[in-house]
C-alpha cells in the first residue's frame, strides 16, 4: 500500500517541534508493516541535507506568482517529493515566521501550494508511483484532503491533528486569489468562525481523523481543549482516533548517544548528570537535577513553573532549562537563571544540548496546560529521566504516577500532577525530592521507566490498520 504524507516539516531536514520528529520517523516505522510511505515537503532554504537533483515529475508554470517543480528525492532513508518554488519557500527567517516574528503573510499560498502538489501526485503526476492514501499533518496539510475530495482523486485520506491550537486561519478575501471554491465558505466547508481554516478544510474533507494520543482525542471533543473545533470533532467522533507518537529509538538511545555520556542501566547515569551540572555551572547537590527541553509558551506551563520552584530549590533540587519562544518567558527564565545558583538556563534551540539534558537530567518536567502527545517525557522514560508531567493528553497516556498502589505493583514510571495548578506542581516537585531520596524506590522507578516501550512498533501497526481500513482507491 502506498501512502503520501503531506507535512511542513520533517526531521532531520527541517524541524521546529515534535511534528517533524513524527513525520520523519513514520516512513521507517511503517516500512515494517508493508507500507510504502513517501513524503511531500517544501524545498525550503532552511532545509538541510536534501538533494536537489532528483527527477522532476511535475511542473506548473505559474502558481501564486512563480514556477513550481516537484522533484523526487531520497535522503536519510526517506523517499520524498520536494516542492521547489523559490518565490514561496526560498527566503530568510523561519519556515513559518518572517521578520518581527510574525507569520509570513503568504503562508496560505505557501501551504495551499504544497497541498495542490500533493493532490497532483494523487492524480498520477508521477507515473511510477501513485498513492492509495493521502495522509495530511496539521493545518499546513489541511487543504490536501479537501482538494483531493473536490478533484475526486482516487485516494483515501487521513488528517492528523498534532496540535489543534494551530488552525491555519485566514481572511475570506483570500479565497479567490488562492483559487479555492467560494461555495465552500460555509459551516459544512472550510468556514471557521467567520474566517477560513486550513485545518477545518482537512477535518471536514478527510475520510478519517487521527490525533496523537487517545486522551487528546477525547479532550478535543470538549470546549476547553477543542478550541472551536469541538463541535465538528464531536460530530465526527466515529472517525476520530488517537494513536500515540513513538520515539526514534536510534536517535534517542542512552547506550549509544553521540552527544552525551552513554549508559544502559540507571547505574551509569551519574556520569551524565555530573557532565550536565558542569555544562550548566550548577554546584554539586544531594537534591535531584530536573530538566526542561521545550518551546517556551504558556501551552507548556512554563509560566507556572517559576512559582512552583522555591521549595524545590530550598530542598537542594536544581533545574537546567533549554528553550526558546515567547519573548517575555525567555526574559523571565534568563532572570531566574541569573538569580539562582541552582537554576541553569539556555535560551535557544539546540539538538545536541537537548540530548545532553535528557541524558543528564534525573527528572524531566512537562507541566503543560494541554499536550497532544509530548515527546520529551518519552525520551525521559528511555533515559531513566523520571517524567514529572501534567495529567493531560499524551502525558496522561504515557506516564504512570508513583502512587502507593503503582509502586507496590511495580509499574510506576513518573510523577503526575494536575494541569494548570501551581500548588500541585509544587507538590509534585516535593514528591520528586522525597522519591529521589529513597534509593531503592528511585532505582525501581528508573528501571521501570527505561523498560517502558516507547518505540513505534504498536503504533505503526495501528496506522497500518487505519490505512488498510480505507483500502486502495477508496
Ligand atoms: P511540541 O511539538 O509541542 O513543541 P513535543 O514534545 O511534541 O512538543 O516535541 C518537541 C520536540 O522539539 C522534541 O523533540 C524536543 O526535544 C524538541 N525541542 C523543543 N525545544 C527545543 C530546544 N530549545 N532545543 C532543542 N530541541 C527542542
Amino acid at each position: 500500500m502506498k501512502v503520501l504524507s503531506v507535512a511542513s516539516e520533517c526531521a532531520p531536514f527541517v524541524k521546529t517541534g515534535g511534528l517533524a520528529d513524527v513525520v520523519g520517523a513514520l516512513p521507517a516505522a511503517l516500512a515494517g508493516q508493508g507500507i510504502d510511505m513517501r513524503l511531500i515537503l517544501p524545498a525550503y532554504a532552511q532545509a538541510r541535507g536534501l538533494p536537489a537533483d532528483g527527477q522532476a515529475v511535475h511542473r506548473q508554470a505559474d502558481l501564486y506568482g512563480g514556477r513550481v517543480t516537484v522533484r523526487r528525492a531520497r535522503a536519510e532513508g526517506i523517499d520524498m517529493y520536494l516542492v521547489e518554488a523559490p518565490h514561496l519557500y526560498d527566503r530568510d527567517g523561519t519556515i513559518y515566521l518572517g521578520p518581527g516574528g510574525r507569520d509570513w503573510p503568504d503562508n496560505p499560498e505557501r501551504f495551499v501550494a504544497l497541498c495542490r502538489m500533493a493532490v497532483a501526485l494523487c492524480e498520477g503526476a508521477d507515473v511510477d508511483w501513485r498513492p492509495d492514501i493521502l495522509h495530511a499533518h496539521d493545518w499546513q496539510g489541511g487543504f490536501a484532503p479537501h482538494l483531493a475530495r473536490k478533484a475526486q482523486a482516487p485516494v483515501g485520506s487521513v488528517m492528523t491533528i498534532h496540535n489543534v491550537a494551530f488552525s491555519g486561519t485566514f481572511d475570506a478575501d483570500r479565497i479567490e486569489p488562492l483559487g479555492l471554491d467560494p461555495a465552500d465558505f460555509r459551516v459544512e466547508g472550510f468556514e471557521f468562525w467567520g474566517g477560513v481554516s486550513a485545518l477545518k478544510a482537512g477535518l471536514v474533507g478527510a475520510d478519517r481523523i487521527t490525533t496523537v494520543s487517545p486522551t487528546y482525542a477525547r479532550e478535543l471533543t470538549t470546549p476547553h481543549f477543542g478550541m472551536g473545533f469541538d463541535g465538528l470533532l464531536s460530530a465526527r467522533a466515529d472517525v476520530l482516533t488517537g494513536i500515540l507518537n513513538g520515539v526514534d529509538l536510534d536517535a534517542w538511545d542512552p547506550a549509544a548517544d553521540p552527544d552525551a555520556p552513554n549508559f544502559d542501566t540507571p547505574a551509569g547515569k551519574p556520569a551524565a548528570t555530573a557532565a550536565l551540572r558542569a555544562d550548566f555551572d550548577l554546584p554539586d547537590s544531594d537534591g535531584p537535577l530536573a530538566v526542561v527541553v521545550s518551546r517556551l509558551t504558556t501551552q507548556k506551563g512554563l509560566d507556572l513553573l517559576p512559582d512552583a520552584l522555591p521549595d524545590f530549590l530550598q530542598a537542594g533540587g536544581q533545574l537546567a532549562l533549554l528553550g526558546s519562544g515567547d519573548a517575555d518567558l525567555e526574559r523571565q527564565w534568563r532572570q531566574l537563571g541569573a538569580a539562582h545558583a541552582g537554576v541553569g538556563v539556555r535560551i535557544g534551540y539546540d539538538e545536541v544540548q537537548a540530548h545532553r539534558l535528557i541524558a543528564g537530567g534525573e527528572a524531566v518536567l512537562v507541566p503543560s496546560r494541554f499536550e497532544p502527545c509530548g515527546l520529551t517525557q518519552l525520551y525521559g522514560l528511555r533515559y531513566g529521566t523520571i517524567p514529572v508531567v501534567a495529567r493531560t493528553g499524551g502525558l496522561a497516556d504515557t506516564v504512570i504516577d508513583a502512587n502507593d498502589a503503582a509502586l507496590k505493583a511495580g509499574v510506576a514510571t513518573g510523577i503526575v500532577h494536575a494541569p494548570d495548578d501551581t500548588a500541585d506542581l509544587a507538590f509534585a516537585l516535593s514528591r520528586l525530592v522525597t522519591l529521589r531520596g529513597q534509593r531503592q524506590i528511585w532505582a525501581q522507578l528508573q528501571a521501570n521507566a527505561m523498560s517502558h516501550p516507547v518505540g513505534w512498533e504498536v503504533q505503526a501497526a495501528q496506522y497500518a490498520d487505519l490505512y488498510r481500513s480505507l483500502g486502495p482507491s477508496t
Side-chain angles (χ1 to χ4, degrees), residues 457-473:
E457 213 164 295
V458 172
Q459 296 91 310
Q462 291 172 333
Y463 276 114
D465 285 348
L466 176 75
Y467 299 146
R468 292 203 177 93
S469 76
L470 288 168
S473 310

Side-chain angles (χ1 to χ4, degrees), residues 15 17-19 21 252 293-295 299-300 322-324 348-351 354 371 374-376 379:
K15 167 171 168 175
L19 168 67
D21 292 309
W252 291 93
V293 179
S294 183
R295 290 187 289 120
Q299 176 202 332
K300 300 290 180 179
L322 169 66
S324 61
Y349 191 95
D350 184 334
E351 287 281 340
E371 191 60 73
L375 288 174
T376 56
Y379 305 152

Side-chain angles (χ1 to χ4, degrees), residues 111-185:
F111 296 108
V112 174
L114 173 71
C115 294
R116 287 195 183 283
M117 295 305 105
V119 174
L121 290 167
C122 295
E123 292 179 307
D126 182 350
V127 289
D128 296 325
W129 197 91
R130 192 180 60 70
D132 304 301
I133 305 289
L134 174 66
H135 187 166
H137 298 272
D138 270 353
W139 73 263
Q140 296 88 350
F143 275 102
H146 167 84
L147 292 169
R149 185 176 287 273
K150 301 273 294 177
Q152 299 186 317
V155 288
S157 60
V158 178
M159 179 77 226
T160 293
I161 304 171
H162 295 263
N163 191 339
V164 86
F166 302 110
S167 61
T169 300
F170 51 87
D171 289 342
D173 60 11
R174 307 289 281 276
I175 291 173
E176 290 210 35
L178 284 164
L180 300 171
D181 184 350
D184 290 315
F185 186 63

